[in-house]
């Protein structure tokens, strides 16, 4: 809407003193008279030499449709048609509902007394470097980058406001934003295999573009290492593959429930395992036994997309697969997933002999090995399982018994049940 235009289209302008009152009235209508509330922006420009101005007010399209009178039903929505204002009809209402969507948490602006300081304090240097954006010292260009990347949103009343995505990605300190105090990642190194004695405890409380690489390296420094010889030199390497740690850490960050502000992503490192726990259980349409080869539905899709763009994780849906595959390459036990009432946990287990494994651990290795081979279009046989379990050829009978148990537990099935045992191969139960 433009204020200061005559009925015949001339630029007559309005008095500067009237601008504030018009903005206030329109803002009150947008905020208090409509549901959902609308976001408005405005600017002025001189209108000739009279000292008057033109006032431009932009009302952003609402993602949630239809916008209607507050306190009334959705049928109390109106449309401009042929110069007239009228109520929408039934077919128009259906169309608006089909085009409606709810704002995602990451898109929401954060508005409190110190919001401006949060925007000023956001560190976007790493974001720009990873996205190959030229970083400018020009304040106007910086604001444009923040808005373009959805790290901030414009507000007519408060100027530039940080979004949840902005703080999660580029905030210098989560503690500076109310309710964000637990959005970081806590890493604890314990002595032995219990939680009785903590050796080190570190809390990462900055945006993920600022701390994620350091987080991964700190976790790697805490896990047990083994000595290997590389090019005639003895070196210490972590017993867990970095790719598995990285993918599971990203998974915890992007899938945690940010509606919960009473807990944080927690990494607990023991002599025999690493436990990575995030607040929020799996979404209802996801199952623990289908995490490999299942296209996930991210709880925080915009955050997940940004983490992929920044290069912290792989393409959508491949993270769990990559972690499980890396464990196979290292010859480690399969990753264990536990879906709790209000949390989700991934456990990496240290190297363990076949004899020391429980039946549950052996079956988990058989199932994940079968899933990984199926998605890679490879055949799972007694031979491939012996290799995965690090068993000798003479122990093929042990594997045969384990295969029978896995079939009995409905984890795998024979792909060619009429073939002789020598030529039989297996696929996941769901294939």
């Amino acid at each position: 809407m433009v204020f200061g235009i005559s009925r015949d289209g001339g630029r007559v302008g309005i008095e500067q003193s009237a601008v504030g009152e018009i903005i206030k009235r329109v803002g009150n209508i947008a905020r208090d008279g409509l549901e959902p509330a609308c976001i408005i922006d405005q600017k002025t420009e001189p209108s000739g030499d009279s000292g008057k101005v033109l006032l431009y007010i932009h009302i952003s399209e609402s993602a949630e449709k239809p916008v209607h009178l507050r306190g009334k039903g959705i049928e109390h929505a109106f449309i401009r048609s042929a110069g007239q204002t009228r109520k929408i009809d039934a077919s128009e209402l259906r169309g608006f509902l089909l085009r409606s969507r709810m704002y995602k948490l990451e898109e929401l602006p954060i508005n409190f007394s110190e919001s401006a300081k949060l925007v000023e304090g956001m560190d976007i240097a790493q974001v720009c470097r990873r996205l190959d954006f030229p970083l400018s010292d020009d304040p106007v260009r910086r604001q444009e980058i923040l808005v373009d990347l959805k790290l901030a949103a414009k507000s007519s009343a408060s100027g530039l406001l940080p979004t949840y995505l902005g703080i999660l990605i580029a905030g210098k300190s989560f503690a500076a934003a109310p309710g964000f105090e637990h959005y970081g990642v806590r890493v604890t190194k314990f002595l032995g295999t219990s939680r009785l004695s903590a050796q080190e405890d570190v809390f990462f409380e900055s945006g993920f573009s600022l701390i994620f690489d350091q987080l991964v390296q700190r976790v790697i420094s805490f896990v047990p290492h083994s000595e290997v010889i590389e090019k005639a030199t003895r070196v210490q390497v972590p017993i867990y593959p970095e790719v598995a740690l990285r993918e599971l850490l990203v998974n915890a960050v992007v899938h945690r429930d940010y509606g919960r502000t009473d807990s944080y992503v927690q990494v607990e490192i023991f002599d025999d395992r690493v436990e990575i726990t995030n607040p929020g259980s799996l979404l209802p349409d996801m199952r623990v036994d289908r995490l490999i080869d299942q296209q996930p539905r991210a709880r925080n899709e915009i955050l997940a997309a940004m983490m992929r763009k920044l290069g912290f994780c792989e393409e959508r849906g491949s993270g769990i697969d990559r972690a499980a595959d890396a464990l196979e390459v290292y010859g480690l036990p399969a990753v264990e997933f536990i879906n709790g009432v209000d949390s989700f946990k991934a456990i990496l287990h240290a190297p363990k002999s076949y004899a020391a494994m429980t039946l549950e651990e052996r079956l988990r290795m058989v199932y994940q090995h079968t899933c990984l081979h199926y998605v890679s279009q490879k055949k799972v046989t007694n031979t491939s399982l012996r290799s995965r379990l690090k068993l000798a050829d003479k122990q093929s009978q042990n594997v045969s018994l384990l295969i029978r148990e896995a079939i009995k537990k409905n984890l795998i099935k024979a792909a060619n049940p009429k073939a002789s045992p020598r030529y039989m191969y297996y696929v996941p139960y769901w294939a």
Side-chain angles (χ1 to χ4, degrees), residues 285-286 290-298 315-318:
D285 58 347
M286 298 184 69
R290 291 304 314 276
L291 290 178
I292 296 177
D293 189 41
Q294 184 180 47
Q295 193 75 356
R297 183 165 66 85
E315 289 301 316
R316 178 174 179 169
S318 67

Side-chain angles (χ1 to χ4, degrees), residues 67-183:
V67 176
H68 57 93
L69 297 180
R70 183 173 292 277
K72 297 182 180 292
I74 58 175
E75 69 278 4
H76 288 273
F78 296 81
I79 194 171
R80 291 287 290 178
S81 177
Q84 302 292 322
T85 300
R86 62 171 175 81
K87 273 189 176 183
I88 58 174
D89 59 31
S91 63
E92 291 167 335
L93 176 59
R94 287 193 292 269
F96 284 130
L97 291 173
L98 287 173
R99 297 196 301 273
S100 177
R101 74 174 180 88
M102 296 293 290
Y103 278 104
K104 297 182 183 296
L105 179 138
E106 303 102 295
E107 298 175 288
L108 297 177
I110 303 166
N111 193 356
F112 75 110
S113 59
E114 302 295 323
S115 289
K117 290 184 179 179
L118 286 181
V119 174
E120 294 172 3
M122 288 167 62
D123 187 346
I124 61 172
Q126 286 293 330
V127 176
C128 291
R129 182 183 66 81
R130 285 178 171 271
L131 297 180
D132 200 23
F133 267 45
L135 183 61
S136 173
D137 293 331
D138 180 12
V140 175
R141 176 55 187 153
R142 183 179 184 276
Q143 290 189 5
E144 291 174 351
I145 292 174
L146 289 171
V147 174
D148 288 345
L149 296 177
K150 298 183 179 180
L151 304 181
K154 291 182 178 179
S155 167
S156 58
S158 306
L160 206 62
L161 295 176
T163 61
Y164 275 74
L165 179 66
I167 299 301
L168 290 172
I169 290 295
K172 283 190 176 180
S173 174
F174 292 149
F180 279 65
E181 295 86 354
H182 288 88
Y183 280 2

Side-chain angles (χ1 to χ4, degrees), residues 95-395:
F96 284 130
L97 291 173
L98 287 173
R99 297 196 301 273
S100 177
R101 74 174 180 88
M102 296 293 290
Y103 278 104
K104 297 182 183 296
L105 179 138
E106 303 102 295
E107 298 175 288
L108 297 177
I110 303 166
N111 193 356
F112 75 110
S113 59
E114 302 295 323
S115 289
K117 290 184 179 179
L118 286 181
V119 174
E120 294 172 3
M122 288 167 62
D123 187 346
I124 61 172
Q126 286 293 330
V127 176
C128 291
R129 182 183 66 81
R130 285 178 171 271
L131 297 180
D132 200 23
F133 267 45
L135 183 61
S136 173
D137 293 331
D138 180 12
V140 175
R141 176 55 187 153
R142 183 179 184 276
Q143 290 189 5
E144 291 174 351
I145 292 174
L146 289 171
V147 174
D148 288 345
L149 296 177
K150 298 183 179 180
L151 304 181
K154 291 182 178 179
S155 167
S156 58
S158 306
L160 206 62
L161 295 176
T163 61
Y164 275 74
L165 179 66
I167 299 301
L168 290 172
I169 290 295
K172 283 190 176 180
S173 174
F174 292 149
F180 279 65
E181 295 86 354
H182 288 88
Y183 280 2
V185 181
R186 185 172 187 175
V187 181
T188 307
K189 172 70 171 72
F190 292 97
L191 290 173
T193 60
S194 72
R195 294 181 175 85
L196 294 177
S197 179
Q199 184 179 10
E200 295 195 55
D201 190 61
V202 184
F203 189 64
F204 293 85
E205 59 169 357
S206 299
F208 300 129
S209 71
L210 308 178
I211 58 92
F212 197 79
D213 284 334
Q214 295 94 312
L215 167 65
V216 174
Q217 292 308 311
R218 181 58 65 92
V219 171
I220 290 174
S221 72
F222 281 170
V223 301
H225 284 58
S226 61
E227 190 176 80
V228 299
I229 297 178
E230 291 185 1
K231 297 180 179 179
T233 303
R234 293 181 182 274
V235 294
Q236 294 287 325
V237 297
I239 64 172
Y240 305 104
E242 178 177 342
V243 64
L245 291 168
R246 178 177 289 272
E247 292 294 343
L248 293 176
L249 285 169
V250 171
N251 189 73
V253 165
V254 302
H255 291 290
R256 74 152 285 174
D257 182 359
Y258 286 98
R260 286 190 54 193
T261 59
D262 60 343
S263 188
Y264 35 73
V265 172
Q266 187 159 335
V267 183
E268 298 172 296
I269 301 168
F270 305 87
D271 288 353
D272 63 345
R273 68 193 187 280
V274 175
E275 298 187 7
I276 302 173
T277 309
N278 61 269
S281 57
L282 285 178
L283 294 172
D285 58 347
M286 298 184 69
R287 293 165 43 185
V288 167
D289 64 343
R290 291 304 314 276
L291 290 178
I292 296 177
D293 189 41
Q294 184 180 47
Q295 193 75 356
R297 183 165 66 85
R299 178 178 273 113
N300 308 292
E301 180 58 36
I302 297 176
L303 174 61
M306 179 59 78
M307 292 293 281
R308 287 194 295 271
K309 289 178 182 178
L310 294 173
F312 291 122
C313 56
E314 293 298 315
E315 289 301 316
R316 178 174 179 169
S318 67
I320 296 295
D321 298 32
R322 280 171 55 83
D325 185 65
L327 295 174
E328 288 220 347
V329 172
Y330 267 55
L332 294 174
V335 57
E336 179 181 1
F337 298 112
I338 300 176
N339 189 32
V341 175
D342 57 4
S343 66
F344 179 80
K345 179 179 293 188
I347 305 176
L348 297 176
H349 294 277
K352 186 182 294 188
S353 69
Y354 181 82
M357 292 181 190
T358 65
L359 177 60
E360 181 183 1
E361 290 173 324
R362 296 171 183 174
L363 290 173
R364 189 183 305 123
M365 292 180 72
V366 169
Y367 177 67
Q368 291 190 16
H369 175 78
T370 306
C371 290
L372 289 169
H373 271 51
Y374 179 77
V375 301
S376 301
Q377 298 183 346
K378 298 177 182 178
K379 291 183 178 181
V380 171
T381 62
N382 187 296
T383 301
S384 73
L385 282 169
R386 286 204 310 273
S387 176
R388 173 67 179 102
L389 295 166
K390 296 182 178 180
L391 295 177
D393 291 348
K394 63 182 181 180
Q395 294 176 291

